């Protein structure tokens, strides 16, 4: 997408809820379980995604654009 001119439109972010409040789950039973069985990694972007992007030719400046500049512009700050 970056090579096709979409850099100005791309946002990269990571959200992860600590607890899903739906279904028949009680907090005491669900607090240490991930119902989707996903690994808990709050640094996934910085430890996995960004190194992969860099290895494929995306520059640190482009990552900053996607994570800082574009969201700031979109949110009007």
């Amino acid at each position: 997408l970056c090579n096709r001119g979409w850099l100005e439109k791309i946002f990269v972010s990571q959200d992860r809820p600590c607890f899903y409040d739906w279904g028949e789950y009680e907090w005491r039973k669900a607090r240490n379980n991930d119902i989707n069985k996903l690994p808990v990694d709050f640094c996934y972007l910085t430890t996995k995604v960004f190194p992969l992007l860099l290895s494929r030719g995306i520059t640190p400046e482009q990552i900053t654009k996607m994570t800082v500049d574009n969201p700031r512009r979109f949110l009007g700050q």
Side-chain angles (χ1 to χ4, degrees), residues 4-67:
R4 293 181 180 176
W6 288 92
L7 179 62
E8 300 291 326
K9 306 280 185 191
I10 300 172
F11 289 21
V12 178
S13 68
Q14 176 175 322
D15 294 326
R16 180 171 172 89
C18 297
F19 176 68
Y20 297 99
D21 192 15
W22 67 70
E24 299 297 320
Y25 305 104
E26 292 183 32
W27 170 247
R28 278 180 249 113
K29 292 179 183 176
R31 67 181 172 186
N32 294 319
N33 295 323
D34 183 346
I35 62 173
N36 295 316
K37 306 297 185 222
L38 298 172
V40 176
D41 185 358
F42 292 103
C43 298
Y44 186 76
L45 284 177
T46 56
T47 61
K48 305 280 191 307
V49 175
F50 295 158
L52 179 64
L53 291 175
L54 292 168
S55 75
R56 297 200 176 175
I58 299 299
T59 66
E61 293 79 16
Q62 289 173 309
I63 290 174
T64 299
K65 183 74 126 170
M66 292 182 276
T67 58

